[in-house]
Amino acid sequence: AEQHACIETPKQIWIKAQPVAPNIPEVLSILQEECAEVIQAVSKVQRFGLLAHHPHRTTTNKEELEEELGDLLAMIRILTDHDYLDQANIQLAARNKADKLKQYSTVWTLKPTN
């Protein structure tokens, strides 16, 4: 079986036999955590509503979701700014997803209800 763990040598860190910057494993871990926090925020919106809030917080579920999405975007930006990921490829993937959603879903026709 292929190893997925990071391999540390005295001068380099390798992921899947490719050298990467020493902080990339940490950045990927934070990216993963941010994805999980977005999932949790979406779940709160679905369960309790966009404008509801936790009794011990003053921020709404909408604001919590916006913050988590911002954190996720920050991690993506870090990975693209350091040339670990390609911004153009991410934008192309986003356009392709939007095109698929326009063709196969109703997300573009939904109107917000207040």
Side-chain angles (χ1 to χ4, degrees), residues 95-108:
R95 284 191 300 273
N96 289 342
K97 182 64 173 183
D99 290 344
K100 286 179 191 174
L101 290 172
K102 286 175 185 174
Q103 184 176 2
Y104 297 111
S105 82
T106 61
V107 298
W108 295 107

Side-chain angles (χ1 to χ4, degrees), residues 2-101:
E2 186 177 322
Q3 289 289 330
H4 293 281
C6 296
I7 302 167
E8 288 193 50
T9 61
K11 295 185 179 186
Q12 287 185 316
I13 294 178
W14 297 70
I15 295 178
K16 291 191 174 187
Q18 295 179 358
V20 297
N23 61 343
I24 289 297
E26 179 184 12
V27 173
L28 292 175
S29 292
I30 297 169
L31 174 69
Q32 185 175 349
E33 291 171 10
E34 296 305 339
C35 289
E37 290 172 3
V38 167
I39 291 168
Q40 183 178 21
V42 168
S43 177
K44 298 279 174 72
V45 167
Q46 289 178 322
R47 289 177 62 204
F48 304 111
L50 198 60
L51 301 179
H53 64 86
H54 188 277
H56 301 297
R57 293 186 182 159
T58 58
T59 54
T60 65
N61 291 335
K62 176 186 176 191
E63 292 165 329
E64 294 285 333
L65 178 57
E66 291 167 341
E67 181 176 340
E68 297 305 339
L69 288 169
D71 291 350
L72 178 58
L73 287 173
M75 298 313 299
I76 294 168
R77 188 170 295 130
I78 288 169
L79 288 164
T80 57
D81 286 352
H82 291 88
D83 295 324
Y84 190 73
L85 299 178
D86 187 280
Q87 180 66 32
N89 287 340
I90 294 170
Q91 290 174 344
L92 176 61
R95 284 191 300 273
N96 289 342
K97 182 64 173 183
D99 290 344
K100 286 179 191 174
L101 290 172

